[in-house]
């Protein structure tokens, strides 16, 4: 059976086996979205290489096609990866009246402002938890600018029909940074200059920095006034410039293998960049504070197994690595506190509830708080011998697999195919590192 093509609801049995070896980090899904969008908004043909294909990336490709960009898969310069040849018209043009965003929150929130530049109806649909993920920040802008929109009680499908105008856009800092990035993609194309004002400290600011970096690469100027993430000056009448580029490695996915190495024997993860702006690079610093034995080279990081210690983990700027760090904390000495993690409740699932529920089934001791978790570590291992569920969430499935290597008995995981959302090759890489699984259904 091809482990890269498991059905969403596939069930696997995971046997205790410590991970050891070297694995190549997938390309960054976050930067992949951004590079593909910038290429699609440029006039001319761009090549974006080193793409690790996933359901979320495919959703972004569909949205670009709906805006009249041509997107073709071509051979990559790197083994096991895909390159995309993208030809854009220089500005969004309506080529469809609806687009399916799958379960990708980034795709939906990045494209809604672009759809609002068309001055004709465009309907956004989605699946799973995406249907009800918050979009109020955009609705407030549409109300202020008298842009027509229609929803199902605030949920998808969402139809936008109007033309976004330049001006001052105010957003609270505690909303998803995806709203800021979505505006940053669209505002440079408008006829006038705009300002984005953040009315309170911006959470997940690193993701906005990644957007600014990508915009600059494609020739778009945005000024982060005083570098304080409180006011962005966006000149209008700009044009994206086509070019060739390569997507960097993904620290949020590398985090699973760093955690796997600390709970296993030794795992090295190559293809990462320590100069990256990705907030999830914080996994290295956090795990070092936990006492993990980490070694670095120019584009790789390795972690040797050993006993880790409790710490305080602030989730504000690195929410995506919290599930797997919870697994590490559950097997560390002492009491770990995870704070500022309320946003994890509105991801693909309520990740705080999911990790508490499923790790506790395996024998962990985790207490769920309003904005975080308290994790009472058990360095001796977890009992296992139970059935757990991925909650239709790729990061929950992968985190439980990493914890399973330190169980005394096998676990049965339902929803193993959910990894296809971001990392279809996860189970193949897991087995290549010595993980032992059996596909049951």
């Amino acid at each position: 059976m091809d482990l890269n093509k498991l059905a969403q609801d596939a069930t696997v049995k995971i046997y205790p086996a410590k991970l050891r070896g070297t694995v190549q980090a997938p390309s960054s899904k976050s930067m992949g979205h951004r590079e593909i969008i910038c290429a699609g908004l440029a006039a001319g043909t761009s090549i974006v290489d080193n793409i690790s294909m996933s359901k979320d990336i495919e959703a972004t490709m569909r949205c670009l096609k709906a805006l009249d960009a041509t997107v073709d898969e071509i051979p990559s310069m790197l083994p096991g990866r895909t390159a995309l040849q993208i030809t854009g018209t220089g500005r969004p043009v309506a080529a469809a009246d609806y687009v399916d965003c799958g379960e990708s929150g980034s795709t939906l929130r990045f494209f809604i402002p672009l759809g609002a530049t068309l001055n004709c109806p465009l309907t956004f649909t989605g699946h799973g938890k995406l249907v009800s993920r918050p979009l109020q920040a955009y609705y407030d802008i549409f109300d202020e600018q008298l842009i027509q929109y229609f929803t199902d009680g605030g949920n998808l499908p969402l139809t936008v029909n109007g033309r976004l105008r330049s001006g001052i856009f105010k957003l609270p800092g505690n909303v998803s940074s995806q709203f800021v990035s979505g505006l940053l993609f669209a505002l440079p194309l408008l006829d006038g200059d705009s300002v984005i004002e953040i009315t309170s400290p911006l959470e997940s600011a690193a993701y906005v920095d990644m957007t600014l970096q990508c915009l600059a690469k494609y020739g778009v100027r945005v000024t982060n006034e005083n570098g304080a993430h409180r006011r962005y000056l966006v000149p209008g009448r700009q044009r994206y410039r086509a070019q060739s580029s390569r997507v960097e490695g993904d620290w949020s996915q590398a985090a699973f293998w760093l955690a796997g190495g600390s709970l296993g024997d030794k795992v090295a993860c190559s293809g990462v960049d320590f100069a990256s702006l990705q907030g999830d690079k914080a996994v290295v610093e956090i795990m070092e504070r936990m006492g993990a034995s980490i070694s670095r080279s120019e584009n790789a990081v390795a972690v040797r197994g050993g006993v880790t210690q409790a710490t305080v983990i602030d989730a504000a700027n690195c929410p995506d690595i919290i599930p797997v760090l919870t697994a590490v904390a559950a097997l560390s000495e002492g009491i770990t506190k995870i704070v500022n993690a309320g946003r994890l409740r509105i991801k693909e699932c309520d990740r705080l509830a999911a990790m508490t529920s499923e790790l506790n089934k395996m024998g962990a001791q985790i207490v769920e708080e309003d904005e975080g978790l308290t994790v009472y570590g058990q360095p001796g291992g977890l009992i296992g011998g139970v059935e757990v569920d991925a909650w239709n969430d790729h990061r929950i499935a992968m985190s439980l697999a990493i914890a399973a290597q330190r169980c005394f008995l096998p676990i049965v995981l339902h929803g193993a195919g959910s990894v296809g959302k971001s990392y279809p090759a996860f189970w193949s890489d897991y087995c290549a590192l010595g993980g032992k699984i059996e596909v049951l259904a």
Side-chain angles (χ1 to χ4, degrees):
M1 175 176 291
D2 186 349
L3 294 178
N4 296 350
K5 296 181 179 180
L6 290 182
Q8 187 89 354
D9 60 353
T11 297
V12 300
K13 189 172 189 178
I14 309 175
Y15 296 87
K18 290 189 176 182
L19 302 183
R20 182 179 182 84
T22 299
V23 65
Q24 176 87 5
S27 68
S28 169
K29 181 164 68 78
S30 294
M31 284 305 294
H33 284 303
R34 289 161 170 80
E35 294 256 10
I36 293 168
I37 291 169
C38 288
L41 294 174
T45 298
S46 300
I47 304 295
V48 181
D49 204 349
N50 194 33
I51 296 286
S52 296
M53 293 300 295
S54 66
K55 292 180 180 178
D56 281 7
I57 292 294
E58 290 170 353
T60 289
M61 293 164 60
R62 288 195 297 271
C63 283
L64 275 185
K65 292 174 182 178
L67 299 184
D68 206 29
T70 301
V71 185
D72 295 307
E73 296 184 31
I74 62 175
S76 171
M77 299 292 290
L78 302 167
R81 300 297 164 86
T82 298
L84 297 179
Q85 179 175 283
I86 302 173
T87 302
T89 61
R91 62 185 311 108
V93 176
D97 54 12
Y98 79 96
V99 63
D100 181 359
C101 296
E103 297 186 28
S104 176
S106 296
T107 302
L108 176 65
R109 288 169 174 163
F110 289 169
F111 276 91
I112 287 175
L114 291 168
T117 68
L118 298 174
N119 203 28
C120 62
L122 180 63
T123 299
F124 295 89
T125 64
H127 306 278
K129 191 73 176 290
L130 184 64
V131 170
S132 59
R133 288 179 73 172
L135 296 171
Q136 189 61 46
Y138 285 151
Y139 300 156
D140 291 342
I141 291 170
F142 295 160
D143 288 338
E144 183 176 343
Q145 294 206 356
L146 302 180
I147 294 173
Q148 283 189 324
Y149 66 98
F150 308 94
T151 73
D152 182 8
N155 297 332
L156 298 184
L158 162 67
T159 299
V160 180
N161 183 17
R163 187 177 294 282
L164 192 67
R165 301 189 307 276
S166 57
I168 297 175
F169 297 81
K170 295 185 178 182
L171 293 171
N174 63 351
V175 300
S176 171
S177 64
Q178 293 168 351
F179 292 105
V180 181
S181 290
L183 289 172
L184 286 171
F185 287 124
L187 297 184
L189 299 171
L190 304 185
D191 290 336
D193 300 343
S194 297
V195 176
I196 301 175
E197 292 186 355
I198 310 300
T199 58
S200 58
L202 178 63
E203 296 183 14
S204 298
Y207 288 99
V208 177
D209 287 337
M210 291 164 63
T211 301
L212 296 176
Q213 181 186 55
C214 199
L215 290 171
K217 181 187 291 189
Y218 284 81
V220 173
R221 296 178 294 110
V222 175
T223 301
N224 176 12
E225 193 172 66
N226 300 322
H229 295 293
R230 297 301 289 268
R231 186 176 168 88
Y232 300 94
L233 309 181
V234 189
R237 300 170 296 280
Q238 297 193 64
R239 294 293 178 262
Y240 288 77
R241 293 199 302 264
Q243 65 160 292
S244 295
S245 67
R246 178 181 293 184
V247 180
E248 65 185 59
D250 195 331
W251 277 104
S252 70
Q253 308 291 33
F256 292 104
W257 305 125
L258 303 190
S262 73
L263 298 179
D265 283 336
K266 181 181 179 181
V267 173
C269 187
S270 61
V272 292
D273 182 359
F274 281 94
S276 171
L277 296 178
Q278 295 175 50
D280 294 326
K281 185 177 65 177
V283 66
V284 175
E285 180 270 330
I286 293 169
M287 291 189 63
E288 285 180 330
R289 282 196 281 114
M290 299 179 79
S293 176
I294 295 179
S295 57
R296 316 177 191 206
S297 61
E298 183 177 356
N299 67 342
V301 58
V303 183
R304 188 180 298 277
V307 178
T308 46
Q309 310 294 324
T311 190
V312 176
I313 302 173
D314 188 336
N317 287 308
C318 54
D320 285 344
I321 60 176
I322 296 305
V324 76
L325 288 176
T326 303
V328 175
L331 289 152
S332 298
E333 290 184 341
I335 303 172
T336 294
K337 299 286 290 186
I338 297 174
V339 300
N340 296 323
R343 186 172 299 162
L344 274 77
R345 297 195 183 280
I346 53 172
K347 295 288 188 175
E348 283 80 348
C349 73
D350 181 338
R351 288 177 174 167
L352 298 182
M355 291 306 295
T356 300
S357 168
E358 305 312 301
L359 282 178
N360 282 354
K361 288 178 186 177
M362 294 163 62
Q365 295 184 26
I366 303 174
V367 176
E368 188 179 342
E369 316 286 356
D370 288 343
E371 296 289 324
L373 301 173
T374 299
V375 185
Y376 298 87
Q378 298 182 76
L382 306 178
I383 298 171
V386 294
E387 296 188 15
V388 295
D389 194 271
W391 291 46
N392 195 37
D393 189 318
H394 53 135
R395 299 199 190 276
I396 302 303
M398 293 186 279
S399 298
L400 296 176
I402 295 301
Q405 63 180 319
R406 290 283 299 278
C407 287
F408 293 105
L409 298 170
I411 66 168
V412 172
L413 171 64
H414 299 287
S418 58
V419 301
K421 185 176 191 295
S422 66
Y423 193 172
F426 174 81
W427 293 114
S428 294
D429 288 347
Y430 186 81
C431 292
L433 292 173
K436 297 181 180 179
I437 70 169
E438 177 187 357
V439 179
L440 302 181

